[in-house]
Amino acid sequence: MIGKQIETVVIALGMPVLVAGRRGAVLRAGCVDFENILRRCATLMLACPSNETTRYLITTHEIQLMQSCAILINVSRGSGWCEADVVKALEKNIIASVGTDVFEEEPANKDKNPFLKGKVKGLLVSPHIAWVSMSASANCVSRSRRMLRRLWQVNR
């Protein structure tokens, strides 16, 4: 679902979209094999479920296949890549940049996580806000409003 929403936005921006087939599976219509995707794409976005078939989709092997101008983005789960391999690739300028809002171990520990241990050139880390659906936002606003009313009544 997230992948389809991303595809809609990217197409609206005029960018071509390639959809990778699952590793080791028969390719569905409209899908491209994963290694071909790695070689061809300037921007690769991971938006897949977290399971055994998606664990460590991106390691040093896959990164070596990518273009040096490649931008790698993970908006699915931290287990989709090996964080240490991704940091090494950035440090060695094997790929251009990385963006993520997920970590292999959450909550992330700044002393253990390779993304957070030091300043990594080409890395953008942002907060994970997937929980912010319309209903979650409306619920948060409603609860806050009730709490503020109660507080206002108590302090009158």
Side-chain angles (χ1 to χ4, degrees):
M1 184 168 139
I2 292 172
K4 285 289 181 193
Q5 292 172 340
I6 292 168
E7 180 181 20
T8 301
V9 171
V10 169
I11 289 172
L13 293 171
M15 298 169 68
V17 173
L18 298 174
V19 178
R22 294 189 185 263
R23 236 184 342 195
V26 176
L27 284 179
R28 294 178 302 166
C31 291
V32 178
D33 74 273
F34 190 60
E35 287 198 358
N36 194 1
I37 293 268
L38 294 169
R39 288 184 178 93
R40 291 174 59 184
C41 290
T43 303
L44 178 68
M45 184 171 286
L46 298 180
C48 49
S50 178
N51 58 44
E52 282 307 308
T53 64
T54 61
R55 183 167 176 74
Y56 290 154
L57 278 175
I58 305 294
T59 64
T60 298
H61 170 76
E62 288 77 20
I63 293 168
Q64 295 291 338
L65 299 174
M66 299 173 76
Q67 300 174 31
S68 61
C69 65
I71 300 167
L72 179 57
I73 303 168
N74 188 354
V75 295
S76 52
R77 295 289 177 251
S79 63
W81 58 18
C82 175
E83 293 170 338
D85 291 356
V86 171
V87 168
K88 285 178 194 169
L90 285 171
E91 290 171 343
K92 294 179 179 180
N93 296 315
I94 296 170
I95 56 175
S97 60
V98 169
T100 190
D101 66 348
V102 294
F103 301 97
E104 199 170 332
E105 185 180 307
E106 293 193 19
N109 181 319
K110 68 179 177 135
D111 297 322
K112 293 180 182 177
N113 187 288
F115 290 152
L116 304 176
K117 277 187 175 179
K119 191 169 184 173
V120 180
K121 183 181 173 195
L123 175 66
L124 173 65
V125 176
S126 70
H128 184 69
I129 58 168
W131 68 273
V132 186
S133 64
M134 291 299 286
S135 62
S137 289
N139 187 31
C140 185
V141 168
S142 177
R143 286 178 180 220
S144 296
R145 188 179 299 134
R146 283 195 308 263
M147 289 172 59
L148 287 170
R149 280 186 187 142
R150 280 190 230 137
L151 184 62
W152 184 73
Q153 289 172 352
V154 168
N155 290 324
R156 268 176 90 183

